[in-house]
Amino acid sequence: MPASSSVSAVSRIAYLASDVVVNSLSPTGPSLFQTVLNALASSADSRAAVTNLPFGANAGDTLLRHRSARLLSYTALAHPQVLNHLLLHLPELSATSTVFHIAVTDDLSDALVLQSSLPFVLYSRTAQQAHDHALLASRLAFIESTAVLHIFHVGDESEPVEEVDADRIAPFLYAERQSPRSSEQKSATDPSVLLKTYQSAAFATVALVRRPLRPFTQHGASEPHTVVFTLGRAALNYDIEGLSFVGVSLLKPLTPSTILSAVSPSVTRVVVLEQIHRWSMKWTPLYLEVVSAVQQGELDSSPIVQSGILGDTTTVTQSDIEEFVQRASSEAPSTRLALGSPPSAQAAIAAPHVPKHETAYTKILANLFSGRLEILNSPELISLQGEIATTPEFALGRARGELEEREELVNAVRELLRDPAVSIEIHSLLSRWLGAKEDGVKSKQIGDELAAALEGEKLSNPAAQKILLLRRLLPARSRWIIGSDAWAYDLGASGLHHAIASRLNVNILLLDTTPYTTRNSVDPHRRKQDVGLYAMNHGDVYVASTAVYSSYSQVLQSIMEADRYNGPSVVLAYLPYNTEQTPALEILKETKLAVDSGYWPLYRWNPAKEREGKEPFSLDSDFVKNELQQFLDRQNHLSQLTRSKPEVAAELVGSLGENLKQARKQRAQQAYNDLLNAIDAPPLTVLYASDGGRAEKMAKRLATRGKLRGLSTTVATMDSISVDDLAKEEMIVFVTSVAGQGEFPQNGRTLAKALNVFAARGEKPLTNVRFSVFGLGDSHYWPRPEDAHYYNKAGKDLDARLEQLGAQRFAPLGLGDDQDADGPETGYQAWEPLIWKALGVDAVEVKEKEPEPITNEHIKVASQYLRGTIAEGLEDNTTGALAPSDTQLTKFHGIYQQDDRDIRDERQAQGAEPAYSFMIRVRMPGGVCSPEQWLMMDQIADEHGNGTFKITTRQTFQFHGVIKRHLKSAIQDINRALLDTLAACGDVNRNVIVSTVPSLSKLHRQAYDFAKRVSEHLLPRTTAYHEIWLDKKLVAGEALKDVEPLYGEFYLPRKFKVAVAIPPNNDVDVFANDVGFIAITDKNGELAGFNVTAGGGMGVTHGNKKTYPRTGDILGFCTVAQGVDVAEKIMLVQRDNGNRVDRKNARLKYTIDRMGLDNFKAEVERRLGYKFQPARPFTFDRNIDDLGWTTGEDGKHHFTCFIENGRIQDEPERDFKAGLREIAKVHKGAFRLTANQHLIITDVATEDLPTIKRILAQYKLDNVSQSGLRLSSSACVAFPTCGLAMAESERYLPILIDKVEKICEENGLRNDSIVMRMTGCPNGCARPYLAEIAFVGKAPGVYLMLLGGGYYGQRLNKIYRESVTEPEILAILRPMIKRYALEREPGEHFGDWVIRAGYIAPTTSGKEWWDRMGGEGEYREVAAAA
């Protein structure tokens, strides 16, 4: 909700005038002041320190800690739980320069509680008055060193406000008093003295704002018989004979003379109307002031003074006022009058707003305990019980009352059991209920039967009547109290202590919403107590620390354990967000940072296990906080003392990173000592920052060449050196590439930030350093003029920053551009000689041959058929990573080394290595698996991975988050499921994919059998896989040697992909594969053979026009029997002719374009010994999946589930992983994974349909009603695990689709299929270059936008815009989709229409992909920019 004009104006004045602003957050959603204050604090003109306090927290302590501030401001929405805390501190605060800005809505009651303790109280009706009074209050407090209460109405956004310029506020505050103090010796608290002080400040404020400021305003008759004083937001602008209105703005000091000046001798009646609806005392404050003034005044005749309540006067008319005055004259003076409608009862009892993010936990409770969940402090109770219903004290009282009543119920059941008159049936039910009284399901079922039986028997025993009276308690309830982290600031005052110490069987869910990155921005004196540690010290409380965005399964386990525990339970739930608009992706990243750093450890403490002699503590994350570690160490020590056979549990609770840090420190020290011993000449230090490896290779090559010239050279990453150590170097060369939008690569950011800090201080620590910088970039990567400064920005910034810090440049800045003829080498070749010349070694003749750089080809041939040192690396416990060369080899074993990029920067700042983990990809030809294999994959994800697994675009399973020590056991479990990971990645033939056409059951079976034969035939023959992962050693030592009959010791130049398509569905995108087989049937519907394609591939490098995507060419037709041999011979031609020098041009697509299609085909036919037959006709009509139920030719049923982006996981209200697990337990058919990342439950017999449909419905897996756009979408993994990702993909595409599908729905296209794909980098895992709309990541939040792909994968798309952000994407698509809806021809797809409409040119071949990019005609990017 946007802030109102008055709130914005007051917040601005408070921020600009104060040293410190303390803001109390609101109980209902975002704070009124918070948004404005946060915006001001983040602006360039940042001035005051802003402290936000949780709702209900005691602000007095914080204000007193800042009492030394020149001016202190406090902002809050009036609420008794906030303001009542201040009362005890006001006597001390009244003598400090503090302004209390209290916003009110329709009742001044809560705010006026403070007025008796403060010397000045101002009241503002309008937004302009609130602005001016905020200035006046600030001036008063600053000049007089006194506290001022400023009460103002919230109002709305439409109220006009004329604000004072920011640069005029400070001079206004510091200006001298405009009138001297009185020479009379009066007390500083005397009202007349205070009034003069007010007037002095008012004069100064009027001079600033040029608007009048008076204690009150009066209008109406000059000689009235009735005066109406109003304190509130009243619109009484009427001229009524005999009536005068006085609007009070200065409530304190309000002297009798001031009041009487408004009461002329003609007045016979005074009515005081105050907007006070919940005043606890008999007389209201302004009424008392007026009565007192009239009684003290020497009036000829004292008027009658009456009190009244001022309501909403927006609908009050002149006749209503006249009637009110008439009524006042007829009522007794003591009668309380009223003008205007009172606040609606509904508004007064409105339930507090529950932020939408918090439903992530409440939905889990509702799903787990459906029918028996009881939220003891539910907001819904406010309408019946008032605001106290949400407090923990109230909830605990409810729990105690219910538990005592249930104990009475149990006693009544036992008493009735002893009654011999009870029938056998009821006796049995009573006994069964006692045995199941704590079981949520059985207690309800038996309880219902028992109540019905007792009602039927009409027993006279009082115990029976008692049972019926308490029948609502027969089902076992799961009782929960839900609170926020505000309860953790004062455990005693919040009532949380009483709940923890109660020993009652009640559960507490505490939500902590403080983001990890802002954890230090809160008031350091108001630290939250560690509730978990506090509760664990009680010894009899179940405690769990959870985070739903880190481990959903751990949350489920913790909540279920808490429910089962007989005693108090505290579940701490982490949910970091600032506002309701905080995206889920941001919450996920904050959670990961908090968990990984140990700030928010995941654990469970179950005292019930200790009573069973088991370890009570379970650590579910890698790190714990020091305080928790000390508790566990002490607990473990005490446990050891009481055991006859002590056990060591340190590994269980120890921080898994400590040994790693120590080992790394020792290795670094040893390396440093070796370096010192080696130095015997003036050294050259080469530092690099590189993400992709090119800058690293260039830096190491430079260092090697330096050594060959006799220099003592050292090469390292930029982040390996501190600024202090940098200052000790003499000659330094920097080589840096660029990441994102001109940022430094990951391993150079720490040093770059440190250099910026020194520059900001104006220091020059590098005066003795001589340097040169070489930067690598792509001038075409940011084609728009406004983005051109991103080109080589890291290198340019580093060069300028070093000079700013006093370093001297010994060679000019060198820049390498990917767009040059030889790429960055063009610039490098001109720059390197300048280095040698400056060092005086340019004339040195280098006779020794420069070592050849190590490439993937060297690694493969030296690996002993893919062994390398993988086995040794797995045994190295000092690091979570493998050696760089081994990470190239593990790809052949189906394994990629990765790290969590969400927390990479944070771990680097902590001095820890990246959070390494591994991705494992299964080889599963055709994507078919049994239910038993599915269950094993589900188990592997939980036991070894991150609890989820992914269906990939190559029809297989992929596990993420597998740490090194789990690698071998995970692969062994995969092997036990009769699957493997060999050749799922690497420079070999990868997983062979097959169209999933459920309706063509027989044809699919034949194609699937063919795919398995191709996969097995092209499988590497090395035994390294079985040796390393399955512990199967070579027979007879080394007597038997490995041999690769197809691959040889170099294997292939690059990856090789094979697909089998079954028309009319091209769901495998057969033209995107190195080799494609398009199934051709004979006149009987039998598989006759295949049309063979070759040369497809997706990978591209941004800006490198030597790289491009390509669709495969059709070579001809082959029979089924010939197919395996054809695949082999095409692969062998690629093996012998592929580019092994440049991996970016090593795929088969480049080999064909280099050789020429005819020559390539002839070579394949020569090796085959026969020619291809002419291609046979076929038809494709789509490349998406047919979702929902279909029936095959054999009568079996098949259901295609929509799995967004292939991620199998459990989420609130989408427990897909659990649902598919349940299906796998009963399913008698198979599962088929699709190349579009969906899942088919196949071969369901008719008699099994009800069971499968029931489970699908139960877990909402039968929902295929999403938009056509969403059902046709696909994304790769990208962040946080993929090391190549430049932008989000899987986590962002659903968010983007939410917005684009609204545009589709507005134009009647909800059910129309438009193929949209997204990848985080240009390598093309999700096959984006064949999509009708595609986005390819370039930098965080920035994408390449492509249009015009063929709907059934027959045509490449083309670059439409080279850099777009989300607002630009939506701005482009909105008019485009609208036109498509209006102008398309029948059956015309979006990709075809954008070409016909002139937005983009068609791509006719891969080599022409870059041609005519950027749009056509009026839609060209340059035209759009103009």
Side-chain angles (χ1 to χ4, degrees), residues 68-82:
S68 59
R70 291 179 299 176
L71 184 63
L72 177 62
S73 289
Y74 173 69
T75 55
L77 176 65
H79 194 287
Q81 284 183 248
V82 173

Side-chain angles (χ1 to χ4, degrees), residues 1010 1017 1120-1130 1167-1170:
F1010 171 75
H1017 183 72
V1120 177
Q1122 294 171 333
V1124 173
D1125 194 30
V1126 167
E1128 176 193 310
K1129 296 305 186 289
I1130 293 175
R1167 297 191 185 215
L1168 286 170
Y1170 55 83

Side-chain angles (χ1 to χ4, degrees), residues 30 34-35 38 355-358 513-518 549 575-591 1295 1299:
Q34 187 179 10
T35 305
N38 287 349
K356 65 177 183 180
H357 293 305
E358 296 185 7
T513 60
T514 304
Y516 176 77
T517 52
T518 61
Y549 280 84
L575 193 67
Y577 69 94
N578 286 312
T579 69
E580 286 199 78
Q581 284 68 48
T582 302
L585 182 56
E586 194 62 34
I587 299 175
L588 171 66
K589 292 179 178 179
E590 291 283 352
T591 302
I1295 299 171
K1299 299 173 182 179

